[in-house]
Amino acid sequence: MTDLTLAPNLDAPDDTYADLLAAHDGLTEAQSAALNARLILILANHIGDRRVILQAIKAAKSVA
Amino acid sequence: MTRIAQTPLYPYARSPDQDATQPPRHPVVIIGAGPVGLAAAIDLGQQGVPVVLLDDNDRPSDGSRAICFSKRTLEIADRLGLGDRLVDMGVRWNIGKVFVGDRQIYTFDLLPEAGHSRPAFINLQQYHLEHALVDRLRALQDAGAQVDLRGGNRLTRIDGHPDHTALSIDTPDGPYRIEADWLIACDGAGSACRDMLGLGFTGQTFEDNFLIADVTMRTEIPTERWFWFDPPFNPGQSALLHKQPDGIWRIDLHLGRDIDREAEMRPENVMPRITAMLGPDVAFSLEWVSIYRFQCRRMSRFRHGRVIFAGDAAHQVSPFGARGANSGLQDADNLCWKLRMVLAGDAPETLLDSYDTERVQAADENILHSTRATEFITPKSAISRTFRDAVLDLGARHAFARQMVNSGRLSQPCIHDGSPLHTPDALTGPARSHPGAVCPDAPLGDGYLLDHLGHGFTLLALGSDAPRLEGVDLLEMSDALTPELRARFLGDAAHALYLIRPDQHVAARWPRADAATVRQAISRATGHTS
Ligand SMILES: Cc1cc2nc3c(=O)[nH]c(=O)nc-3n(C[C@H](O)[C@H](O)[C@H](O)COP(=O)(O)OP(=O)(O)OC[C@H]3O[C@@H](n4cnc5c(N)ncnc54)[C@H](O)[C@@H]3O)c2cc1C
């Protein structure tokens, strides 16, 4: 099984970043939080592998 | 406001023990005639172990408690001799529906696989179950079993000793004392035994309140489990509707955190809530109503020397998943054969430590599932609610999110992987029947496989020859293996030999085995060797 990729992997990094921000345009904080949660669930399902998702959670937490 | 007829089933009667000059000694005393204590008393009694069963009350528990009883509970009830009665009385159901708002987003079908004697679940009021257990106990008494059920007997003090326990009991005639070689504490979530021994009971208390009501009504609603998140009639909260026998329906309404409990219990407040749910045209009457907050907690160990805890006394779960009484009955199922063997000198006392290991494992599994369901139904933080709502919103469109919708994962028997009693799997066979799992049922002749298992160890031989061992039942099937037997026990294997424990869990399996190998597995399964 593959591990989580933290090496550059996006085909269009600036565009993707802008897409993420644009998705939140005009949303209240609560709506944004809800959107993020839906997005995380959708991406998590796409990844499918609990181990990889745990690695991602760890990577996300380790900057704090 | 109860209208449920309640007559004393085991009224207080004076026992000769109360006139004894020295406290009489009994091999087994059980505290608490709830479902678990009654099941344990029947199990031991029908295996010839004399039992004294004490309860401070004299009748089944009141009102709205357990209603969903699992296939495993029914199989245990079969061994105890009351399975048919429960199934005849109970309501069968398979379909569960989940609504968000007024929209149905998810349906599950417990779809019982064909070829099992018992359905996945029945609904039956706890008082009917307890009544059936008391009747079975009476039948055993009539047949000569030494099972002494004493109502109106309240345990007030325990003194632990290395080889027995001394008990002080209060009755309408005043106090008396008895001693027990072994004490089984089945005295419920508020266990007096636990408190008297100063033992802890730790875990989580959930802040949310639930109104639980049993109502009688005539309705066209099918026999299904309906669960709502954020229903129009109870905005922002949840609701559950489930059918019971006698035209009675169970309603759970989530009320939230800060409520006025007294006020919410009053009929003038309860009735409009239920009318809002059922609609103005449905005539109903209220049988029972109560308000609960739920807990998930357990003792750190279930065996404390000569005192063994079972059922809610040992562990408590929220009802989402119906894991309370169902798991308590499995505690009794696990314990009784071990205690019987220890009392008979057929197994070392340490066999009882495996009760602790196995049932703590089961309790942890049940607590995990019911905690998760409770968190999903009543999110305790803002972010928890955000994710929960995200799942529900996505669930309306996407199947993947529906898998995460958790209105309770219904009780399944624990698979005791890692138990010290089991012999490593030696068969390349189906995963579902590996050592630790409950032996799957399957059609056999005119009946079912599980009906052929007794109270002892069984060797189940499928197309394999089997050694004859004293004290071990042999169930040999040479030819005419049904497809179900093949699928559930052989898989790709050509033949197999299974060693099944008295509680129907698989202890060992091989393609074939000689007497010495089987003896070794039995020795392990009875705590003689590790
Ligand atoms: C709303 C609700 C819904 C539920 N739904 C389900 C469900 O669908 N399925 C399921 O499996 N479980 C369910 N449960 C859980 C189930 O009710 C309990 O797990 C079950 O009753 C536990 O049985 P028990 O025998 O361990 O204890 P209890 O039933 O609590 O019995 C304990 C007994 O001990 C006696 N006692 C206490 N102290 C003393 C003393 N000092 N001396 C003598 N006797 C004493 C009491 O009188 C009582 O009879 C539900 C619970 C609730 C509250």
Side-chain angles (χ1 to χ4, degrees):
Chain A
M1 269 194 256
T2 50
D3 279 323
L4 176 74
T5 298
L6 289 169
N9 190 39
L10 290 164
D11 57 354
D14 288 348
D15 292 336
T16 299
Y17 186 80
D19 294 340
L20 286 171
L21 289 193
H24 288 271
D25 273 350
L27 298 188
T28 63
E29 238 170 85
Q31 289 167 333
S32 275
L35 176 73
N36 276 341
R38 291 197 295 272
L39 195 56
I40 289 167
L41 291 170
I42 288 166
L43 295 174
N45 180 62
H46 182 82
I47 294 165
D49 184 344
R50 180 180 174 203
R51 207 179 44 93
V52 175
I53 296 164
L54 280 170
Q55 290 172 354
I57 290 172
K58 199 170 157 209
K61 289 198 87 149
S62 64
V63 297
Chain B
M1 78 166 48
T2 178
R3 301 199 303 124
I4 298 159
Q6 291 287 343
T7 41
L9 285 184
Y10 38 95
Y12 168 74
R14 196 172 173 86
S15 152
D17 282 3
Q18 289 167 256
D19 301 313
T21 45
Q22 286 294 314
R25 176 76 73 91
H26 297 279
V28 180
V29 174
I30 301 173
I31 310 298
V36 180
L38 284 165
I42 292 167
D43 205 351
L44 291 166
Q46 71 179 5
Q47 295 184 56
V49 178
V51 187
V52 175
L53 172 57
L54 307 177
D55 198 281
D56 56 358
N57 207 335
D58 60 7
R59 62 195 67 186
S61 73
D62 265 347
S64 314
R65 295 182 75 192
I67 57 164
C68 297
F69 294 99
S70 69
K71 175 171 180 287
R72 185 63 202 141
T73 286
L74 297 172
E75 291 166 354
I76 292 170
D78 279 333
R79 200 174 52 74
L80 299 181
L82 69 153
D84 285 341
R85 172 153 172 201
L86 300 183
V87 173
D88 290 347
M89 276 195 298
V91 169
R92 285 184 195 218
W93 63 278
N94 292 315
I95 303 288
K97 288 181 178 161
V98 177
F99 302 84
V100 177
D102 51 13
R103 187 159 161 216
Q104 182 187 324
I105 65 155
Y106 178 56
T107 308
F108 61 80
D109 188 347
L110 295 173
L111 189 65
E113 182 187 46
H116 294 259
S117 164
R118 295 310 181 193
F121 272 91
I122 61 163
N123 283 359
L124 185 69
Q125 292 88 325
Q126 183 164 334
Y127 51 82
H128 282 323
L129 169 74
E130 292 181 28
H131 197 162
L133 285 162
V134 171
D135 285 350
R136 172 64 186 143
L137 188 145
R138 296 291 183 218
L140 281 173
Q141 287 174 331
D142 292 344
Q146 293 181 57
V147 187
D148 188 354
L149 169 53
R150 300 183 189 169
N153 274 242
R154 192 164 60 87
L155 179 75
T156 55
R157 185 187 162 104
I158 300 181
D159 292 293
H161 299 279
D163 66 338
H164 75 282
T165 304
L167 308 173
S168 305
I169 299 154
D170 212 10
T171 73
D173 282 339
Y176 71 106
R177 292 168 58 82
I178 55 173
E179 292 177 353
D181 289 337
W182 295 93
L183 182 73
I184 313 180
C186 305
D187 51 349
S191 174
C193 295
R194 214 179 48 222
D195 290 346
M196 289 180 214
L197 294 173
L199 299 168
F201 198 44
T202 50
Q204 204 176 338
T205 298
F206 299 94
E207 301 293 320
D208 287 72
N209 295 277
F210 285 82
L211 178 87
I212 315 277
D214 284 335
V215 305
T216 308
M217 63 172 171
R218 299 268 290 274
T219 157
E220 302 300 308
I221 299 173
T223 306
E224 299 174 344
R225 178 188 194 261
W226 286 9
F227 194 98
W228 289 263
F229 293 96
D230 191 22
F233 54 83
N234 194 22
Q237 316 284 23
S238 67
L240 175 73
L241 182 66
H242 221 171
K243 189 175 183 183
Q244 306 173 61
D246 318 324
I248 296 179
W249 295 74
R250 165 65 54 84
I251 290 173
D252 288 16
L253 286 173
H254 177 194
L255 299 180
R257 299 204 173 175
D258 302 312
I259 60 156
D260 181 346
R261 211 167 167 277
E262 294 290 302
E264 289 290 356
M265 292 272 285
R266 269 182 240 132
E268 67 262 32
N269 292 323
V270 174
M271 301 300 268
R273 284 187 178 280
I274 295 175
T275 304
M277 176 171 185
L278 301 175
D281 304 331
V282 178
F284 67 92
S285 64
L286 212 48
E287 293 292 320
W288 178 268
V289 63
S290 41
I291 292 181
Y292 289 99
R293 281 202 305 174
F294 299 127
Q295 267 123 17
C296 286
R297 46 188 183 160
R298 71 163 169 90
M299 301 178 71
S300 57
R301 283 182 296 125
F302 298 168
R303 180 187 171 199
H304 292 267
R306 292 281 175 143
V307 185
I308 299 167
F309 289 83
D312 276 16
H315 46 74
Q316 198 185 5
V317 293
S318 73
F320 307 110
R323 288 165 181 270
N326 285 310
S327 69
L329 290 166
Q330 290 164 50
D331 291 345
D333 192 41
N334 188 296
L335 176 61
C336 289
W337 68 271
K338 295 175 181 174
L339 193 53
R340 187 244 306 147
M341 291 191 80
V342 169
L343 278 162
D346 293 336
E349 238 182 81
T350 48
L351 176 60
L352 296 169
D353 291 331
S354 72
Y355 165 78
D356 190 89
T357 310
E358 293 180 342
R359 296 315 297 167
V360 163
Q361 176 194 16
D364 281 343
E365 191 172 296
N366 290 318
I367 287 171
L368 180 73
H369 283 295
S370 55
T371 302
R372 285 176 173 175
T374 312
E375 179 66 40
F376 194 89
I377 294 164
T378 60
K380 68 174 176 295
S381 67
I383 189 68
S384 174
R385 177 171 276 269
T386 301
F387 270 105
R388 196 285 301 269
D389 290 346
V391 166
L392 294 178
D393 289 342
L394 290 170
R397 282 162 187 265
H398 304 294
F400 88 84
R402 273 168 240 156
Q403 300 179 307
M404 291 178 168
V405 173
N406 189 348
S407 68
R409 305 283 183 230
L410 288 157
S411 174
Q412 294 282 344
C414 181
I415 296 171
H416 295 306
D417 282 321
S419 165
L421 302 190
H422 301 143
T423 299
D425 195 359
L427 182 80
T428 320
R432 63 193 288 176
S433 49
H434 75 272
V438 175
C439 174
D441 202 3
L444 191 63
D446 299 336
Y448 289 89
L449 172 63
L450 294 185
D451 298 333
H452 293 264
L453 304 179
H455 299 305
F457 280 85
T458 303
L459 262 182
L460 171 65
L462 301 115
S464 151
D465 39 302
R468 266 134 194 87
L469 296 171
E470 210 195 298
V472 178
D473 296 332
L474 184 57
L475 196 54
E476 266 180 310
M477 279 167 279
S478 36
D479 35 51
L481 291 181
T482 60
E484 289 92 346
L485 281 171
R486 285 186 182 284
R488 292 168 200 176
F489 293 92
L490 290 180
D492 295 332
H495 45 78
L497 187 65
Y498 280 75
L499 177 66
I500 300 168
R501 306 183 348 179
D503 58 10
Q504 305 182 345
H505 282 257
V506 174
R509 63 178 187 178
W510 310 266
R512 57 163 48 96
D514 60 15
T517 306
V518 176
R519 259 195 223 105
Q520 204 178 5
I522 293 176
S523 158
R524 205 181 157 106
T526 50
H528 284 100
T529 50
S530 49

